[in-house]
Amino acid sequence: MSQQYRSRPLGSDVALSEAYDTALLDLDGVVYAGGHAIVHAVESLGSAREGGMHLAYVTNNALRTPDAVAEHLTELGVPADATDVITSAQAVARLMADQLPSGARVLVVGGEGLRVALRERGLVPVESADDDPVAVVQGFGGPDLPWGRFAEAAYAISRGAVWFASNTDLTIPGARGIAPGNGAAVEVVRIVTGAEPQVAGKPLPPMHRETVLRTGAKRPLVVGDRLDTDIEGAFNGGVDSLLVLTGVTDAAQLIAAEPRYRPTYVDRDLRGLLTGQPEVSEDGDGFRCGGWTAGVRGEALVLDGGGDTIDGLRALCAAAWTHAGEGACGLDAQKAVARLDL
C-alpha cells in the first residue's frame, strides 16, 4: 500500500486469476466446510486453474497430512497434489527444526499431520511427558482429542520443555456451525502453565515463509474467510488479499476492521477469482460502488441506492475505513448492514 492504511477495497480491470500468478487459498470456510465443498468453489477453482493460475491450499489446520488434504480436495472435484498443500504443521516443524537438534524428542498434542511434519524435519514424536521430550507441539487434534493430552503438555512444559503451537485460531467452521479451534485448546495449557508458546501459523511470518518457499509464488493473492488469520497474514507478508464471505467473517466485522484486517478485495465466494473487481469511488461526502452510495451521518453509517449487495458492502467499507483511519470503526452500522441482507 502506498498509504499507511487501506481506506477502501480496490478495484481490478482484469480477473483476479489473471492479475495474480498464485492463489494462496485457505480451506475451512473457503473451499469446504465440515468436509463438504462450499457452493461455487469447485467450478470456480477449476476455471481459475484452467486459466493458468497456480492454486495452493494453505491451512492452519494441522490435523491432516498434505496427502490426506489433497485426496479430500480431489474427491470434492478439485484435483490437487500433496505438494499443493501447505499446513501449519509444516510451518511449525520447520520453526522447531531451526531451534532443536536433529533427533530431538517432541511431545505431540494433536493429529497425524503434526507427526508426519516432525519426522520430515528429523524430529521424533513422543506421546508422554515421561518420554523426556525437549519440546511440546500443539495442533488441532479433532473433536475426539482426549483431555489427558493437555495434562501431558502441562507436565512437560513445567519440566522445562519448549512449547510450540501450530496456530491459535480460536474457532473452526464446520457443517453444524462454529466449533472450538486449536487456539481454544492452547488457552487451556496456557492457563495451567502460565507459559507462552511460539506460534507458526497464520497470521505470523513462519507460515508466510513456508508458503513462499513451497510455492515459489511471485505475485500471490491470499484468499480467506478470516480477518485475524488470512487477511492479517497477508498484511504481515505485504501481499494482496481477497476476503470471501463463506466462512466466519460477517459484514459488520468487516466494516469495523482496523487496518491490519482490511482485505484488498471483497467478494461473496470464490467466483470473485474469475472476475474483475468494481472500483469504489468518492461521491461527494461518501463513496459509490455500483448502484450504492455509503457515507456517515452523525454517529451512523448510511447506505442508499440498490443493486448487487456486495457493491453496497464495498461502499460501506470505504466509508467506515476512511472515517476510522488507523483505528477500528465504531460507527453504528446496524441499519446499513440490514439493507444488504448478506
Side-chain angles (χ1 to χ4, degrees), residues 225 227 243 247-258 261 321 337:
D225 69 308
L227 300 180
L243 179 81
V248 301
T249 300
D250 62 26
Q253 292 168 331
L254 176 61
I255 289 167
E258 57 187 274
Y261 299 142
W321 297 351
V337 169

Side-chain angles (χ1 to χ4, degrees), residues 21 26 30 73 96 108 115 176 216 261 279 291 299 305 330:
D21 70 336
D26 183 43
V30 176
L73 287 169
M96 297 173 74
V108 176
R115 293 177 177 85
R176 297 171 61 196
Y261 299 142
E279 180 183 3
E299 295 298 318

Side-chain angles (χ1 to χ4, degrees), residues 13-324:
D13 293 333
V14 300
L16 298 183
S17 57
E18 299 175 17
Y20 299 88
D21 70 336
T22 306
L24 306 180
L25 294 135
D26 183 43
L27 289 172
D28 292 308
V30 176
V31 180
Y32 54 64
H36 301 287
I38 287 174
V39 65
H40 304 302
V42 173
E43 55 268 38
S44 298
L45 293 174
S47 296
R49 184 178 56 251
E50 290 171 4
M53 189 179 214
H54 178 208
L55 305 181
Y57 302 95
V58 186
T59 177
N60 262 359
N61 191 330
L63 177 60
R64 295 187 293 172
T65 66
D67 284 312
V69 173
E71 181 179 357
H72 181 207
L73 287 169
T74 301
E75 289 172 351
L76 292 178
V78 183
D81 296 322
T83 54
D84 297 324
V85 180
I86 301 93
T87 73
S88 62
Q90 294 171 322
V92 77
R94 187 187 296 270
L95 179 65
M96 297 173 74
D98 288 343
Q99 301 179 38
L100 304 176
S102 179
R105 295 185 175 197
V106 178
L107 174 63
V108 176
V109 181
E112 186 62 16
L114 275 176
R115 293 177 177 85
V116 169
L118 291 173
R119 293 187 188 105
E120 288 177 349
R121 292 290 165 192
L123 302 173
V124 179
V126 298
E127 301 303 314
S128 171
D130 295 334
D131 292 326
D132 297 323
V134 299
V136 173
V137 63
Q138 193 169 355
F140 185 66
D144 300 320
L145 184 69
W147 186 258
R149 301 306 299 157
F150 303 140
E152 292 298 322
Y155 300 151
I157 293 166
S158 68
R159 296 173 188 175
V162 184
W163 184 23
F164 295 85
S166 63
N167 67 294
T168 53
D169 297 16
L170 289 173
T171 61
I172 187 168
R176 297 171 61 196
I178 303 300
N182 189 55
V186 166
E187 284 302 308
V188 172
V189 178
R190 191 200 310 269
I191 290 168
V192 172
T193 63
E196 291 289 336
Q198 296 184 49
V199 183
K202 298 180 285 186
L204 298 172
M207 189 66 168
H208 183 72
R209 175 188 176 215
E210 189 73 19
T211 301
V212 171
L213 286 173
R214 288 180 179 268
T215 64
K218 303 299 183 184
R219 184 162 170 72
L221 178 70
V222 170
V223 184
D225 69 308
R226 300 183 68 107
L227 300 180
D228 61 346
T229 54
D230 305 316
I231 306 308
E232 186 180 8
F235 178 86
N236 291 339
V239 298
D240 289 345
S241 60
L242 166 66
L243 179 81
V244 291
L245 300 178
T246 49
V248 301
T249 300
D250 62 26
Q253 292 168 331
L254 176 61
I255 289 167
E258 57 187 274
R260 69 181 185 273
Y261 299 142
R262 298 172 187 170
T264 314
Y265 310 104
V266 179
D267 223 311
R268 276 190 186 82
D269 50 54
L270 287 177
R271 288 176 295 179
L273 285 174
L274 308 178
T275 64
Q277 295 287 307
E279 180 183 3
V280 182
S281 58
E282 293 186 26
D283 185 28
D285 293 332
F287 294 87
R288 174 176 291 277
C289 185
W292 297 92
T293 302
V296 177
R297 188 175 301 154
E299 295 298 318
L301 287 169
V302 293
L303 184 66
D304 297 306
D308 188 339
T309 54
I310 287 293
D311 286 342
L313 178 58
R314 295 176 178 124
L316 280 172
C317 286
W321 297 351
T322 299
H323 182 270

